Amino acid sequence: MDPNLPPSPFQSQVSQPEAPLSVDYLNQIAPQAPKRKIPLTRKQMIIAGILGGAFVIVMILVIAVGLGGSKKPEEQLAARLQSTQTIVTSADSELKDSQLRALNSNLDIYLTNTNRDIAAPLLKDKIDITKLDKSVVTSEAGADVTARLEDARLNAVYDSTYAREMAYRLATIVSLMRQINSSTHNQDLKTFLASAYTNLQPTQKAFDDFTAATD
């Protein structure tokens, strides 16, 4: 072509050849093959099932512990006092030793008065002793104590067993009273507890002394 001739109008419309596409680019736009899922073996499925079951059990225990921790010591005390009076009243006809019967009779009177007098202070903490949480009532019922006393009755060792069981149970009540007294801001309850555990301590010691004398 003569360089002196004017350029042809068609020369500008001729497309230039494109650069070849890189292999990496082609790999990027190429459809990806679906990943093949490897089926679990029977052993792996069993292990997975065990782990899943263990996780569920742990969660149930965590929830149960959380619910248990929400129980108020004041409710526990009220329930324990009520169940203790039931045990004490039932023991009246089974005790043979006159000293122990007199001690038990005095304890029954104490518990009658205490179960009555604790109602008003606890209402200030929105606790109705006639509507205690059922789980608290069950846990404080003293079913294990009742069972041991029945065995003792059948084996003719009721008095010594009863004195030992009551000495321990009263000690737990005194300890719980002190715990509540040190943590509550309810002044009426503090006043009640100060008197209640002061009056209960001599009776607890008397049961303890009776146990020591018969061992």
Side-chain angles (χ1 to χ4, degrees), residues 99 103 163 167 202-215:
Q99 177 188 351
L103 186 59
T203 304
Q204 188 278 328
K205 186 178 184 303
F207 274 105
D208 204 23
D209 291 343
F210 185 91
T211 301
T214 55
D215 284 346

Side-chain angles (χ1 to χ4, degrees), residues 37-49:
K37 293 183 179 179
I38 301 175
L40 295 175
T41 64
R42 179 179 177 82
K43 183 177 181 180
Q44 289 173 325
M45 292 179 66
I46 293 174
I47 293 174

Side-chain angles (χ1 to χ4, degrees), residues 9 37 52 62 64 88 104 108 123 131-132 134 143 178 197-198 212:
K37 293 183 179 179
V62 169
V88 168
N104 197 61
D108 202 356
L123 274 179
K131 299 176 182 179
L132 297 174
K134 291 182 179 179
R178 286 174 172 170
Y197 68 68
T198 298

Side-chain angles (χ1 to χ4, degrees), residues 22-49:
S22 68
V23 175
D24 289 341
Y25 176 76
L26 293 176
N27 288 337
Q28 291 175 8
I29 65 173
Q32 299 295 318
K35 293 182 180 179
R36 183 180 178 184
K37 293 183 179 179
I38 301 175
L40 295 175
T41 64
R42 179 179 177 82
K43 183 177 181 180
Q44 289 173 325
M45 292 179 66
I46 293 174
I47 293 174

Side-chain angles (χ1 to χ4, degrees), residues 88-103:
V88 168
T89 302
S90 299
D92 283 339
S93 60
E94 301 295 341
L95 296 172
K96 302 294 187 294
D97 186 272
S98 59
Q99 177 188 351
L100 193 56
R101 283 202 308 270
L103 186 59

Side-chain angles (χ1 to χ4, degrees), residues 162-183:
Y162 179 78
R164 182 171 57 254
E165 291 289 342
M166 198 51 57
Y168 176 76
R169 191 168 182 85
L170 295 182
T172 68
I173 291 175
V174 170
S175 177
L176 187 55
M177 284 179 172
R178 286 174 172 170
Q179 175 192 336
I180 295 169
N181 185 60
S182 65
S183 62

